[in-house]
Amino acid sequence: MDVSEQTFEQDVVERSNERPVIVDFWAEWCGPCRSLGPVLEQEVAAAEGSVELAKVDVDANPGLAARFGIRGIPAVKAFRNGHVVDEFVGALPPERVRAFVEGLTAPSAAEQLTADGGGVDPDVAEALAHGDVERALELLLARVPAADDETRERIRETMVALFADLGPEHPTTISYRRRLASALF
């Protein structure tokens, strides 16, 4: 679907709360964009509805290009839960695009932790089952001071996986990444 500055919030940000949305920032005059576009469309179609594709013409939507720091095209950003969780710039080969899409459609860290009982702490699984990632991070962080080295590493890995689900720019990621660094070091 083509999105504009007027429809971006609804078509991408809000929709990404239901399923990942890949946004292809492109322009008509861009040769690599014309090469990447069909590859993205094919891989999104192969995902059978588990991810959506939105296209933003940067010439027609300079505000969106500025908002997301687009400096070169094609630029592709993946949104989940209203935030960018992954991205790349340039025309990638089909196998790399496929891996990018598969990474978005794989079970999230929160889903995996819920399924395996919370990893480090069963209360973490319960918090995640209720969609409370912040509570899960708080529970994990509280375990760090008393944890042995191996458990501290598992806690760190778990929290980093949850940060990846949220995306690097999510306010919760930023806050808890700092708190984790302080607790570990």
Side-chain angles (χ1 to χ4, degrees):
M1 83 184 110
D2 290 321
V3 296
S4 66
E5 292 173 1
Q6 294 75 29
T7 64
F8 191 86
E9 288 301 315
Q10 180 178 348
D11 290 346
V12 174
V13 176
E14 290 178 23
R15 189 165 285 169
S16 74
N17 289 314
E18 300 165 17
R19 71 180 52 87
V21 178
I22 296 172
V23 181
D24 178 15
F25 291 88
W26 70 285
E28 183 65 38
W29 51 264
C30 170
C33 296
R34 289 194 306 270
S35 297
L36 179 63
V39 174
L40 277 170
E41 291 168 10
Q42 178 181 340
E43 294 305 327
V44 167
E48 299 177 338
S50 59
V51 65
E52 292 191 37
L53 178 63
K55 296 177 129 329
V56 174
D57 181 337
V58 296
D59 290 336
N61 300 283
L64 287 174
R67 175 178 168 188
F68 292 102
I70 305 302
R71 307 242 187 296
I73 54 175
V76 176
K77 295 186 182 280
F79 287 75
R80 184 183 288 139
N81 298 319
H83 297 276
V84 176
V85 294
D86 203 358
E87 61 190 308
F88 68 85
V89 177
L92 298 181
E95 58 275 3
R96 297 246 336 257
V97 173
R98 183 175 308 115
F100 179 81
V101 172
E102 287 172 353
L104 295 170
T105 59
S108 69
E111 292 166 335
Q112 291 172 349
L113 286 168
T114 302
D116 81 2
V120 177
D121 186 333
D123 293 336
V124 170
E126 183 178 341
L128 293 172
H130 290 96
D132 194 348
V133 175
E134 197 161 338
R135 172 89 176 119
L137 291 168
E138 195 64 44
L139 289 166
L140 289 164
L141 198 56
R143 296 231 16 230
V144 170
D148 61 35
D149 288 346
E150 183 179 322
T151 303
R152 287 168 65 98
E153 179 58 18
R154 283 197 334 246
I155 291 169
R156 186 195 68 75
E157 289 172 353
T158 301
M159 290 182 73
V160 168
L162 291 171
F163 297 158
D165 281 357
L166 294 171
E169 298 170 7
H170 194 285
T172 301
T173 297
I174 293 167
S175 172
Y176 279 90
R177 183 178 289 132
R178 285 187 196 126
R179 292 179 62 194
L180 175 62
S182 293
L184 291 174
F185 305 106

